[in-house]
Amino acid sequence: AMYSKTFGNAIKFWRNGRVSILSPTECERLQGFDDGWTDVDGVTTEDRYKALGNAVTVDVIKEIVLRINKHL
Protein backbone atom coordinates (compact mmCIF):
# COMPACT_ATOMS: atom_id res chain seq x y z
CA ALA A 1 0.00 0.00 0.00
CA MET A 2 1.08 3.57 -0.59
CA TYR A 3 0.42 6.53 1.67
CA SER A 4 1.98 9.91 2.25
CA LYS A 5 2.82 12.09 5.20
CA THR A 6 4.37 15.54 5.41
CA PHE A 7 7.63 15.93 7.33
CA GLY A 8 8.72 19.53 7.59
CA ASN A 9 7.77 20.88 4.20
CA ALA A 10 8.79 17.87 2.12
CA ILE A 11 6.33 15.15 1.15
CA LYS A 12 7.54 11.60 1.64
CA PHE A 13 5.82 8.58 0.16
CA TRP A 14 6.16 5.02 1.39
CA ARG A 15 5.80 2.27 -1.16
CA ASN A 16 6.77 -1.31 -0.45
CA GLY A 17 8.92 -0.28 2.51
CA ARG A 18 10.87 2.38 0.61
CA VAL A 19 10.81 6.13 1.11
CA SER A 20 10.58 8.57 -1.78
CA ILE A 21 10.60 12.36 -1.44
CA LEU A 22 9.06 14.67 -4.03
CA SER A 23 11.66 17.15 -5.23
CA PRO A 24 10.90 20.87 -5.49
CA THR A 25 10.88 20.44 -9.28
CA GLU A 26 8.25 17.67 -9.03
CA CYS A 27 6.17 19.92 -6.76
CA GLU A 28 6.49 22.76 -9.29
CA ARG A 29 5.19 20.45 -12.01
CA LEU A 30 2.24 19.36 -9.86
CA GLN A 31 1.37 23.01 -9.29
CA GLY A 32 1.59 23.81 -13.00
CA PHE A 33 4.75 25.92 -12.78
CA ASP A 34 7.76 25.69 -15.07
CA ASP A 35 10.75 23.70 -13.81
CA GLY A 36 12.95 25.91 -11.64
CA TRP A 37 10.20 28.48 -10.99
CA THR A 38 11.14 28.64 -7.28
CA ASP A 39 14.87 28.06 -7.82
CA VAL A 40 15.96 31.60 -7.01
CA ASP A 41 19.33 32.69 -5.58
CA GLY A 42 19.20 32.76 -1.80
CA VAL A 43 16.02 30.65 -1.52
CA THR A 44 16.51 27.43 0.44
CA THR A 45 14.97 24.12 -0.55
CA GLU A 46 12.82 24.33 2.58
CA ASP A 47 11.51 27.75 1.47
CA ARG A 48 10.82 26.38 -2.02
CA TYR A 49 8.64 23.66 -0.46
CA LYS A 50 6.84 26.31 1.65
CA ALA A 51 6.18 28.52 -1.36
CA LEU A 52 4.90 25.62 -3.42
CA GLY A 53 2.72 24.39 -0.56
CA ASN A 54 1.13 27.83 -0.30
CA ALA A 55 0.65 28.17 -4.07
CA VAL A 56 -2.63 27.90 -5.88
CA THR A 57 -2.72 25.37 -8.70
CA VAL A 58 -3.23 27.62 -11.72
CA ASP A 59 -4.73 24.95 -13.97
CA VAL A 60 -7.41 24.13 -11.37
CA ILE A 61 -8.36 27.80 -10.88
CA LYS A 62 -8.48 28.29 -14.65
CA GLU A 63 -10.90 25.38 -15.03
CA ILE A 64 -13.10 26.64 -12.19
CA VAL A 65 -13.31 30.11 -13.77
CA LEU A 66 -14.13 28.64 -17.21
CA ARG A 67 -16.94 26.56 -15.73
CA ILE A 68 -18.35 29.50 -13.78
CA ASN A 69 -18.29 31.66 -16.92
CA LYS A 70 -20.40 29.06 -18.78
CA HIS A 71 -23.19 29.63 -16.28
CA LEU A 72 -23.17 33.43 -16.28
Side-chain angles (χ1 to χ4, degrees):
M2 183 176 136
Y3 64 95
S4 66
K5 186 172 183 178
T6 303
F7 288 90
N9 289 302
I11 299 173
K12 296 183 180 184
F13 289 90
W14 280 263
R15 184 181 293 183
N16 300 325
R18 301 187 75 182
V19 177
S20 178
I21 301 171
L22 290 178
S23 71
T25 300
E26 291 169 318
C27 293
E28 288 167 340
R29 291 173 183 167
L30 287 171
Q31 290 287 42
F33 296 117
D34 293 332
D35 289 1
W37 184 257
T38 60
D39 191 9
V40 179
D41 287 340
V43 177
T44 65
T45 299
E46 185 79 5
D47 286 339
R48 290 178 73 188
Y49 282 118
K50 285 180 191 176
L52 290 161
N54 289 328
V56 176
T57 306
V58 175
D59 294 339
V60 173
I61 299 303
K62 180 180 175 182
E63 186 64 27
I64 290 169
V65 169
L66 290 173
R67 290 180 185 214
I68 289 172
N69 282 337
K70 286 181 183 179
H71 297 284
L72 295 179

